Amino acid sequence: MANDEHLSGTVVQLMEKGVRIPNPLGVEIGDDIDPARISGRGVVLHNGTGLRGEKTLIGPGSVLGAEAPVTVVNCRLGPGVELKGGYFKGSVFLEKANMGCGAQVREGSILEEEANGAHTVGLKQTILFPFVTLGSLVNFCDCLMAGGTSRTDHSEVGSSYIHFNYTPNQDKATASLIGDVPHGVMLNQPPIFLGGQGGLVGPARIGFGTVISAGTVYRSDCPEGGKLLSGVNTEAEKAFHPGFYGDVQRRVSNNVCYLANLLALKQWYAVVRRPFFHSMELGDELFKGALETLDAAISERIKRFEALAEKMERSIAIAEKIGTGRKMNNLVTQKRELLEGWPRIKQCFIDAGDDAGSEVPESFRALIDGEAEKKGDYITVIRSLDDPSSSAGTVWLQSIVDGISAKALGVIPSFSS
């Protein structure tokens, strides 16, 4: 160990507990870093690594900065995580998740086991289920992506792909659900492939087994999955009225569905994933961070949804100036219901998560708890579930999604007419 009067006390403590720091003078460790939250087993901090934030947590075997300087701010890293270079803030990385150099992963993101990205990937408010793989030069904010069963059978986003998450009317109620939570957590669904040099315009819903061919900018939904989608979807040239929304039904329905899936995922963590964290070093704090991040993701989606609802007042005024007829009248009715009903819709989401966990079948809960004690490996246990067991878990989670969605959409009856 280097003996240098210029080394900070925290760097010395980390090295004494076994953290490998090849160039101790080349790392920047903030005063708010707690050495107790960094494992001494197999952790490597390469030259140019910066750690900040009292919530920062680094599990055993994690390696930072192997390809380029890396800054980590208030992130929680599980075992064997590799962040090869870039900027990472307010996110959670579960076992063996990894990102190439040039990455920027910001608040509200969770990369589950072995989820990964190549170089120059941008994420924010993004949740990637196990094994999901992102190519290079990808901008994939405001998404949840699932699908696949292993590292050799995984959902993939091709290089130079964009999830378009900001509208000409300056809102971000645009999160896209690629796969879903009730089926995706079972790790038994066909992968989804989003071809490179393409894009997805949010908010969208894409089902398992879907392939969107390279070069396609897709602007619709395919929740049933199992389709090959190709070509650039375009509409005829038409007038643009800033502030006017010509279709709110799909936008609202997709936002409701996305939030309901996030709330179901929170219950999956609280009921099913919890015991698997207990057996790992620093696991309880990692679990706490995952729940906090899910709560932050839910709050972000409610905030963006609320901003959309508030824009309906202006959109109604524009609609009354530019059009008449039955179709326009129905559109105005929908917008008014959304504007006036938003406080009750919002309350549906706020109230949703507190007691949903009680609905889990006891047989499923007991099975998971027992396997967690014996094996302690989340991926192995979930993939070993027989069809009746995984189906029972899916039915439970789907009931959460359907229940929340029905309550929220029940506030705005014209959306189902």
Side-chain angles (χ1 to χ4, degrees), residues 371-393:
E371 291 299 307
E373 288 183 14
K374 287 191 295 183
K375 299 178 181 177
D377 179 350
Y378 170 77
I379 295 294
T380 299
V381 170
I382 297 303
R383 291 199 303 189
S384 67
L385 292 175
D386 58 25
D387 289 343
S389 297
S390 61
S391 294

Side-chain angles (χ1 to χ4, degrees), residues 1-5 7-25:
M1 182 177 72
N3 291 314
D4 193 302
E5 62 182 8
L7 291 181
S8 74
T10 305
V11 170
V12 172
Q13 289 182 62
L14 292 176
M15 295 175 70
E16 287 177 343
K17 71 184 297 187
V19 176
R20 183 174 169 231
I21 307 178
N23 181 11
L25 292 175

Side-chain angles (χ1 to χ4, degrees), residues 224-270:
E224 67 276 19
K227 300 288 180 64
L228 171 62
L229 309 174
S230 60
V232 178
N233 320 74
T234 59
E235 296 183 3
E237 185 177 301
K238 58 185 179 181
F240 174 68
H241 303 277
F244 175 72
Y245 288 83
D247 176 18
V248 293
Q249 185 164 358
R250 172 177 172 267
R251 187 178 298 269
V252 167
S253 297
N254 284 359
N255 271 273
V256 168
C257 184
Y258 193 93
L259 263 162
N261 272 266
L262 284 186
L263 288 159
L265 183 60
K266 181 180 176 182
Q267 288 302 320
W268 178 258
Y269 269 77

